[in-house]
Amino acid sequence: MQVVPQWQPVHRRDPLLGGQARASKKSKTPKDHPSCNEEELSELPNMVVPVRNTIGKRVKSFGSLSDLPALARETMEAPPAYSSESEESEDTIVQYDQRETPRRQSLVEKMLLQSWDEKSDKGLFKYLPSSCPSKLVPGRFEFVAQLNVGRATKKRQTEFRMDNVCQEFDAKKFNFTKARQDEVLFQFELSADDFTSCYEEQKIVESNASFVYINISPIEYGHVLLVPKVLQCIPQQMSTECLLTAIHMSVEVHNPCFKIGFNTLGAYASINHLHFQGYFLNVPFPVERVETEYLPGYADKTDKELRVSKLLEYPVRCFVFELGSDPHELAKEVSMACNVLERQNIPYNLLIVDCGARVFLFPNKFDENKQKKVIPEDVLDTQVNPACFEIGGHMVMKREEDYKHVSEGKIFELLSYASLSEEEFAKVEQDLFSAAAENDSGVVESN
């Protein structure tokens, strides 16, 4: 076992040595390359993190919209070479690993990025995110836009119906047991105590193991997939235990630039095998700075510290769950709300920010509106399907003309078609209050 201290200094790779500018090598994939099915698995690296019963609360790591002018520019650097042709270079975003400001890393972040870089060196990605220009979109919210043609041409397409949130796991379709073992960064294990944190070079894979994979079609630097209990083949539906695993990962990465997202079927998940996505973005998601209004029904129902609010003046209506001090309580409340939406066949997206302290829950009806033919053709022509990261304000554009002419108004229009109406949102809010009250009385329990 290799035991590494919890905090390590950042070691930047020198661009002059080719560390940042290299292209992905062509991957050689032998037909007999081992996959992640149980018969072929033996040992893999393992990351052990403590189970924290209480964690420090951190809300709005990047401030509010009123702070935007001062805070936004603190995260900006001169643009790297990949965006030198941009006419709006002053608004070009530097990729996270090219930051000049040194910072300490947690053990999980250090090993995640070190392993991710090693996979990059081996050419396991379809493309590198350093080839995808990004910029801030002028306006009040400063949405983030990225041109990522690879996500349009090389990303795995969904094999599932869009009109049914809860579908059974289908072993015949792609799932993460069919992924290559060399796409796994490490196992992600919750310790039996609240202090053990270590990295093991190899550990036997057990039946309840959770894996962290690279996303071979990455959006940003460090883009990974967290698959809880991968060998149990859980469909893409929420449970308290699996959400708690994701929250613990956010806590242990311990970096507000790292965001974790979740999409259901019908809200642009392409694989029906329970998984979360996460990556590092060098600027805040716009939704992180939006003002919120507490929902008194949640604030008054118990003496819990956890608070629930809704966004104000954002194109997609959303519930925001804020940690009290108990991450399990946060996971239970959010999971319960997710299960309410699943029972009503309402697709949704989650976004975990602020090092696990806040979770955004977005009911998503974009595909429903698409089927009803209420979305204008020019919006559909962009091919942008708003999933968790897009709804949070990181717009992944698939066509150069859309990236060049993107504006805050166009983003608002596109995202608005994912939102529930005011009446629909109020109905869901009431349903969540009722379910929460029943849950507190012991009538209902989240999965």
Side-chain angles (χ1 to χ4, degrees):
M1 178 187 296
Q2 177 191 7
V3 180
V4 185
Q6 178 67 13
W7 290 98
Q8 292 288 333
V10 175
H11 298 288
R12 301 295 179 199
R13 293 178 298 169
D14 189 345
L16 297 178
L17 299 178
Q20 307 298 342
R22 65 174 180 272
S24 181
K25 302 173 185 176
K26 187 175 181 180
S27 178
K28 297 179 181 179
T29 311
K31 293 182 179 179
D32 60 349
H33 198 97
S35 68
C36 290
N37 65 62
E38 195 164 5
E39 291 73 22
E40 298 182 60
L41 283 168
S42 56
E43 295 183 340
L44 287 171
N46 188 46
M47 174 65 65
V48 182
V49 301
V51 174
R52 302 185 187 275
N53 296 319
T54 61
I55 59 177
K57 183 175 180 180
R58 176 190 296 218
V59 176
K60 290 195 174 180
S61 301
F62 298 99
S64 301
L65 283 178
S66 59
D67 306 318
L68 188 57
L71 285 172
R73 299 305 169 183
E74 289 178 5
T75 63
M76 305 297 290
E77 303 282 353
Y82 69 77
S83 59
S84 60
E85 296 180 2
S86 171
E87 295 179 358
E88 301 173 307
S89 59
E90 69 275 8
D91 288 329
T92 303
I93 295 171
V94 173
Q95 190 171 287
Y96 177 78
D97 59 330
Q98 296 175 346
R99 290 169 24 138
E100 295 181 2
T101 304
R103 62 176 301 276
R104 294 192 305 169
Q105 291 177 302
S106 70
L107 173 62
V108 177
E109 179 183 347
K110 176 180 182 294
M111 300 312 300
L112 185 156
L113 294 181
Q114 178 178 305
S115 301
W116 200 91
D117 287 335
E118 290 171 357
K119 304 299 184 185
S120 176
D121 289 338
K122 294 178 180 178
L124 295 182
F125 296 97
K126 294 182 178 180
Y127 57 87
L128 292 178
S130 57
S131 65
C132 303
S134 294
K135 64 183 179 181
L136 294 178
V137 178
R140 177 189 176 198
F141 291 90
E142 290 200 340
F143 287 101
V144 181
Q146 181 197 74
L147 176 60
N148 193 327
V149 178
R151 294 284 290 183
T153 60
K154 299 179 181 180
K155 180 180 180 293
R156 185 181 305 279
Q157 300 302 307
T158 185
E159 302 176 83
F160 299 90
R161 292 170 50 190
M162 294 288 291
D163 61 350
N164 190 357
V165 174
C166 298
Q167 301 179 41
E168 293 184 1
F169 182 88
D170 187 345
K172 296 179 182 179
K173 296 180 179 179
F174 179 82
N175 61 78
F176 292 104
T177 67
K178 298 182 179 182
R180 293 169 44 165
Q181 282 188 36
D182 60 3
E183 294 175 7
V184 179
L185 297 182
F186 44 73
Q187 303 176 70
F188 187 76
E189 177 186 344
L190 300 184
S191 172
D193 54 54
D194 62 356
F195 58 85
T196 299
S197 181
C198 65
Y199 181 80
E200 302 170 293
E201 293 289 353
Q202 294 291 323
K203 183 187 177 183
I204 294 175
V205 176
E206 300 178 357
S207 61
N208 64 344
S210 301
F211 288 2
V212 176
Y213 296 80
I214 59 170
N215 189 323
I216 59 175
S217 298
I219 294 176
E220 282 290 346
Y221 181 67
H223 194 164
V224 295
L225 302 165
L226 169 65
V227 186
K229 299 181 181 296
V230 58
L231 296 178
Q232 297 186 18
C233 298
I234 305 169
Q236 189 74 346
Q237 299 162 36
M238 192 55 64
S239 72
T240 297
E241 184 178 7
C242 292
L243 179 56
L244 185 60
T245 301
I247 290 174
H248 273 294
M249 184 174 186
S250 181
V251 170
E252 297 306 321
V253 171
H254 201 69
N255 184 340
C257 290
F258 184 70
K259 326 292 180 183
I260 294 180
F262 177 88
N263 307 311
T264 65
L265 299 180
Y268 301 105
S270 58
I271 301 171
N272 189 25
H273 190 174
L274 184 66
H275 65 284
F276 298 81
Q277 301 188 53
Y279 60 71
F280 294 83
L281 185 65
N282 204 22
V283 292
F285 275 37
V287 74
E288 296 183 73
R289 289 174 165 165
V290 175
E291 297 299 328
T292 59
E293 178 180 278
Y294 287 118
L295 300 179
Y298 263 89
D300 298 339
K301 70 183 181 67
T302 68
D303 58 358
K304 297 172 185 173
E305 297 178 23
L306 182 141
R307 303 292 295 272
V308 182
S309 58
K310 62 182 179 181
L311 292 181
L312 299 177
E313 299 182 7
Y314 196 71
V316 184
R317 292 180 174 87
C318 167
F319 299 99
V320 186
F321 295 78
E322 297 181 11
L323 176 73
S325 59
D326 183 354
H328 182 271
E329 190 64 39
L330 175 63
K332 187 175 78 169
E333 291 288 334
V334 175
S335 179
M336 178 274 299
C338 293
N339 297 154
V340 170
L341 295 178
E342 289 166 358
R343 289 193 291 270
Q344 297 183 17
N345 199 34
I346 299 176
Y348 63 86
N349 311 93
L350 287 182
L351 194 61
I352 303 172
V353 303
D354 291 321
C355 304
R358 283 200 298 169
V359 182
F360 293 82
L361 171 58
F362 302 93
N364 187 334
K365 62 180 298 183
F366 191 86
D367 191 72
E368 177 184 334
N369 283 328
K370 183 189 296 186
Q371 301 308 316
K372 291 180 178 178
K373 301 187 184 302
V374 300
I375 304 178
E377 286 299 322
D378 64 320
V379 174
L380 295 177
D381 287 345
T382 65
Q383 305 173 49
V384 175
N385 294 319
C388 56
F389 299 128
E390 287 84 1
I391 290 181
H394 189 195
M395 306 302 296
V396 181
M397 318 301 291
K398 300 174 181 178
R399 303 190 307 176
E400 187 170 359
E401 62 264 35
D402 296 320
Y403 176 76
K404 182 177 181 180
H405 299 293
V406 66
S407 67
E408 184 171 272
K410 290 181 179 179
I411 293 173
F412 249 71
E413 180 186 16
L414 187 150
L415 293 182
S416 68
Y417 289 107
S419 181
L420 298 183
S421 67
E422 186 174 353
E423 295 76 15
E424 292 168 330
F425 189 80
K427 172 64 167 58
V428 170
E429 180 181 328
Q430 183 58 48
D431 292 340
L432 295 187
F433 286 161
S434 299
E438 292 176 350
N439 190 48
D440 287 337
S441 66
V443 176
V444 176
E445 289 189 4
S446 181
N447 292 341

